[in-house]
Amino acid sequence: ICLFFCKCGNITEQSLANIRSCSIKSCGCYRRKIISERNFKHGYSRTGAYQSWMSMHYRVKNDPRYKNRPICKRWSGKNGFLNFYTDMGDRPDRQTLDRIKNKRGYYPSNCRWATYSEQEQNKDNKRYFKYKGKVHREKELRELMGVTMGFVCQRRRQGMGLLESIITPVNMAKSHKRK
């Protein structure tokens, strides 16, 4: 057994036979470096943009509602994420990937970063209600009545219908019993 002085500055114990046969090139740092470089792709795996890109692929592959929504070839394959990142950039705080035209797929010209509120306005399944002679979208009516979506969900769990859960005054909802 001999002391082996590596180029990186580490000192390890190695057999003299391994040193003489030149089978030792480093203390192990070289191997770790090569494996690290081989496995390193882009360094963005913990970013919001990468999470959105992965979610987009997951939805299209696994969610039946997205089966017919193609992803452009540029955003798929070996350099798919880097191309996506070049086209879309960093994901802004509190925003997610949104398709501008919901019937179309994921293409640079059809995608944007949008807030949850913007995405809600862009839904195909918007609900409309007639209230006091006017027609309102669900979100507009909630804002008009001063109730949040969380509050509406809570009321729905108590057995209220959707319209009732939006327009019932807060103090009246407390006396509402499950149906």
Side-chain angles (χ1 to χ4, degrees):
I1 301 282
C2 295
L3 292 179
F4 175 78
F5 295 91
C6 184
K7 291 178 184 177
C8 74
N10 284 338
I11 301 171
T12 59
E13 289 183 353
Q14 299 290 338
S15 73
L16 188 57
N18 283 344
I19 294 172
R20 282 187 181 152
S21 68
C22 296
S23 63
I24 301 294
K25 296 188 183 339
S26 75
C27 65
C29 65
Y30 180 72
R31 182 172 185 269
R32 285 189 299 272
K33 179 182 176 215
I34 294 299
I35 290 171
S36 176
E37 287 173 357
R38 191 179 308 146
N39 291 335
F40 184 81
K41 292 186 179 173
H42 44 65
Y44 292 97
S45 63
R46 292 193 172 126
T47 65
Y50 185 77
Q51 298 304 317
S52 292
W53 179 79
M54 288 294 290
S55 295
M56 167 185 68
H57 281 277
Y58 181 84
R59 277 192 302 274
V60 169
K61 184 178 180 184
N62 298 301
D63 189 331
R65 296 172 297 170
Y66 291 87
K67 287 281 187 198
N68 297 322
R69 303 296 181 263
I71 298 172
C72 70
K73 289 181 181 176
R74 179 173 161 73
W75 289 358
S76 299
K78 186 178 179 183
N79 292 315
F81 171 71
L82 292 176
N83 293 331
F84 172 84
Y85 188 75
T86 299
D87 295 338
M88 297 298 296
D90 287 322
R91 183 178 77 189
D93 288 342
R94 297 188 176 121
Q95 293 192 12
T96 60
L97 187 63
D98 182 41
R99 285 174 294 122
I100 298 165
K101 294 183 180 177
N102 292 319
K103 300 285 185 202
R104 294 187 59 217
Y106 291 92
Y107 301 96
S109 61
N110 193 44
C111 289
R112 65 180 177 174
W113 297 118
T115 64
Y116 291 115
S117 178
E118 290 168 330
Q119 285 197 15
E120 190 171 310
Q121 297 298 322
N122 193 28
K123 283 184 178 178
D124 287 337
N125 64 345
K126 292 178 196 157
R127 290 176 272 207
Y128 294 89
F129 299 99
K130 191 169 187 176
Y131 178 69
K132 292 189 176 180
K134 284 187 167 182
V135 175
H136 300 276
R137 285 193 308 230
E138 179 186 348
K139 182 177 190 271
E140 291 171 332
L141 189 55
R142 281 196 328 260
E143 289 173 354
L144 179 70
M145 300 307 294
V147 295
T148 65
M149 186 63 190
F151 193 69
V152 170
C153 290
Q154 180 182 358
R155 287 177 162 184
R156 298 289 311 265
R157 284 191 296 272
Q158 293 171 350
M160 289 183 149
L162 181 58
L163 180 59
E164 183 185 15
S165 67
I166 296 172
I167 64 172
T168 301
V170 175
N171 57 355
M172 295 294 289
K174 290 179 183 176
S175 63
H176 189 314
K177 295 188 171 55
R178 286 185 180 251
K179 293 180 182 177

